[in-house]
Amino acid sequence: MLKRNLKFNYKSYIRNCRNYLSTFDRFSEGDRVILYPKEDPSKTPHLTKALHPDRKVTSRYGDVPHADLIGKRSRDTVITSAGRELRAYMPTLEQYTKLTPRMVTPIYPADANLIVSLLDIHVSPPSPQKQQSSLRILEAGTGHGALTLYLSRAIHAANPPPSVQVSEELKIDIKVMASDARGPLETVPSPEISIKPDESHQTASIDWKATRQAVIHTVDVHRDYSIRARQLVAGFRNGMYLGNIDFQISQVDDWIRRQMETKSHDSTTDADDRSFLSHALFDFPGSHESLALVSEALETNGTLVLFCPSISQIMKAIEIIKEYKLPLVMESVIETGLSLTGGKEWDVRAVKPRALLKKGKVVQTEGAKIETAEESEGQDISPVVRENVVEGAKFSGDDAGWEMICRPKVGERVIGGGFLGVWKKMKM
């Protein structure tokens, strides 16, 4: 459980905020910088590694010592060893996530922004006068780490900035993890990352983490993915968003069970209420198999988002929710893709054939017409929409006769991208 408002120190808060602001005034050691040719900024930019006085940038335009970049301001120019003039910029979050090396396909900026907006996150700076409820978001499937970074930015204002000592400890953790022997999950001693830095630093980190009002718990079964994602987050703006995130290497079901078990032993909470998550995002194969567990872990009115490459996976999730009567209410199904701005909404739901509603029995014919809410109210449906109806995925048991309707709400389907299924946890 998150502790709240532990001896909040405003002097320290203001001092640390000033440290952050001064960090972005000029390029400093540890920053990553984008370089464009001055004469043609439309060419593909070069993203440097973390600046260090003893290193240099090697690019198609020539070499630039990092020392020439440290101390420069955004939009200043430098001369390469080949005599080319380059203009330096501080990368935006979108540029950074696009240009960083990847081990897996990332969730691209447009989709990441859409997913974050679906959670409708609103946070306030920490204040001793105002009691705030904690915000805990689960990201199951860390992957590249791009969405993790966008989520952390969204909640950043809720937490006090870490001290320089704590920031350094978080970066030391990454170096220790990266130097460890890597292997599959079975070879990792603990299902979660376990790092033991300097004892004094560890104490400072524990104290600071206890003051956080919002946390992203990002879980992945692949150790290498988790380490690379943590390095990705640490490389953006000198790691300013790193402290908002707890990286875990684990099966998501195992991690959720451990957290619920911990809460059940907390004397300050209701022993029968094991919910602890404000929101949950699933982006991993077979995510529908964890729906029952996450529905128990979600707080009432919490949002669950499934990111799936196929609409059939969304349909499978709807079927499981209905079959097991899970306390989840569908909000929307949205198609994402490069040609879709803000996503395209789909109509995906369980319905009964009109013949069943009229005759009181299931008529299983291949061409059985499916009645929709629009038709039952006397409204017509456009021919384009009608052509996109997909019939199938019948339910069993007491719910026999139900079928899935699956179609774009407006216009024709755009090929490519993925699908977002959005549910809310209802009150039991």
Side-chain angles (χ1 to χ4, degrees):
M1 294 295 293
L2 296 177
K3 298 180 182 178
R4 305 172 189 164
N5 303 320
L6 297 180
K7 295 183 178 180
F8 189 78
N9 189 323
Y10 268 101
K11 290 184 179 179
S12 174
Y13 180 86
I14 293 171
R15 181 172 62 252
N16 290 330
C17 284
R18 286 173 177 168
N19 288 338
Y20 274 117
L21 291 173
S22 62
T23 298
F24 307 132
D25 185 37
R26 294 177 181 272
F27 302 139
S28 59
E29 185 174 348
D31 283 339
R32 300 188 70 174
V33 178
I34 283 182
L35 299 174
Y36 286 94
K38 181 182 176 182
E39 70 278 6
D40 188 3
S42 65
K43 289 189 176 295
T44 303
H46 180 88
L47 177 66
T48 72
K49 294 184 178 180
L51 298 182
H52 188 279
D54 299 330
R55 298 174 186 164
K56 65 179 180 180
V57 179
T58 301
S59 73
R60 73 182 84 173
Y61 309 115
D63 298 344
V64 179
H66 284 194
D68 290 357
L69 289 166
I70 294 174
K72 293 276 190 180
R73 295 178 184 272
S74 192
R75 299 189 66 83
D76 283 352
T77 60
V78 291
I79 307 296
T80 71
S81 59
R84 297 285 296 274
E85 192 171 9
L86 303 180
R87 196 177 294 280
Y89 297 86
M90 185 68 76
T92 64
L93 182 54
E94 178 178 352
Q95 291 171 325
Y96 180 77
T97 53
K98 282 183 176 180
L99 293 173
T100 44
R102 61 196 63 169
M103 296 179 71
V104 292
T105 303
I107 292 181
Y108 291 101
D111 295 341
N113 277 316
L114 174 60
I115 292 170
V116 172
S117 71
L118 291 172
L119 300 184
D120 196 33
I121 296 171
H122 302 278
V123 296
S124 302
S127 169
Q129 283 81 32
K130 184 179 179 182
Q131 188 80 357
Q132 300 183 60
S133 58
S134 60
L135 181 68
R136 300 184 69 178
I137 300 175
L138 168 63
E139 181 195 20
T142 307
H144 177 64
L147 179 58
T148 315
L149 197 46
Y150 275 86
L151 288 168
S152 184
R153 183 178 68 169
I155 69 167
H156 187 63
N159 297 327
S163 65
V164 174
Q165 185 182 26
V166 171
S167 297
E168 287 305 311
E169 180 206 333
L170 294 171
K171 293 176 184 178
I172 289 172
D173 287 355
I174 301 172
K175 294 177 182 177
V176 173
M177 285 189 299
S179 64
D180 284 347
R182 300 179 181 180
L185 180 62
E186 290 74 21
T187 67
V188 180
S190 167
E192 298 182 6
I193 294 172
S194 178
I195 301 297
K196 295 182 179 179
D198 179 80
E199 191 171 328
S200 62
H201 284 191
Q202 189 179 34
T203 302
S205 176
I206 291 173
D207 290 345
W208 177 79
K209 286 183 176 181
T211 68
R212 295 181 300 178
Q213 298 293 326
V215 180
I216 306 297
H217 301 281
T218 184
V219 182
D220 204 297
V221 296
H222 299 283
R223 181 179 180 82
D224 285 357
Y225 294 172
S226 187
I227 293 172
R228 183 64 67 89
R230 189 161 182 167
Q231 291 172 332
L232 176 92
V233 175
F236 185 71
R237 303 290 174 102
N238 245 310
M240 70 177 294
Y241 298 127
L242 182 60
N244 306 322
I245 309 165
D246 286 347
F247 291 83
Q248 314 289 345
I249 301 174
S250 173
Q251 296 284 354
V252 64
D253 286 6
D254 294 341
W255 183 84
I256 292 175
R257 289 190 185 98
R258 286 195 297 272
Q259 297 299 310
M260 291 197 297
E261 184 67 21
T262 299
K263 183 176 181 183
S264 66
H265 293 347
D266 188 345
S267 59
T268 63
T269 61
D270 183 358
D272 295 329
D273 180 14
R274 301 203 296 171
S275 62
F276 66 97
L277 291 174
S278 307
H279 306 293
L281 305 165
F282 279 14
D283 179 18
F284 63 94
S287 57
H288 58 273
E289 296 175 1
S290 301
L291 289 175
L293 190 60
V294 76
S295 67
E296 185 180 358
L298 273 175
E299 296 173 345
T300 300
N301 204 42
T303 303
L304 170 65
V305 178
L306 298 189
F307 187 66
C308 302
S310 168
I311 190 66
S312 62
Q313 293 168 295
I314 300 292
M315 294 165 64
K316 181 65 175 177
I318 295 173
E319 182 179 351
I320 289 174
I321 290 169
K322 185 167 185 62
E323 182 178 354
Y324 293 98
K325 296 179 172 57
L326 300 182
L328 296 170
V329 179
M330 171 156 276
E331 292 273 294
S332 59
V333 176
I334 300 171
E335 182 181 4
T336 66
L338 297 178
S339 60
L340 299 175
T341 302
K344 175 189 286 187
E345 191 168 1
W346 276 56
D347 185 11
V348 181
R349 53 199 165 92
V351 297
K352 285 192 176 183
R354 175 178 290 176
L356 175 63
L357 297 177
K358 286 184 176 181
K359 299 181 181 180
K361 63 179 181 179
V362 179
V363 179
Q364 296 197 14
T365 59
E366 208 167 294
K369 182 173 175 60
I370 294 179
E371 181 173 59
T372 67
E374 294 90 341
E375 289 177 309
S376 64
E377 294 173 5
Q379 299 178 19
D380 194 16
I381 306 175
S382 71
V384 174
V385 169
R386 194 182 300 279
E387 288 177 3
N388 282 279
V389 172
V390 176
E391 301 180 28
K394 293 180 175 60
F395 296 106
S396 58
D398 295 335
D399 291 324
W402 288 93
E403 298 186 11
M404 293 300 301
I405 189 168
C406 167
R407 65 194 183 190
K409 280 203 168 180
V410 179
E412 298 179 357
R413 179 175 175 179
V414 178
I415 303 300
F419 293 86
L420 297 171
V422 186
W423 288 264
K424 284 283 189 181
K425 168 77 174 285
M426 70 173 74
K427 192 172 184 179
M428 296 297 291

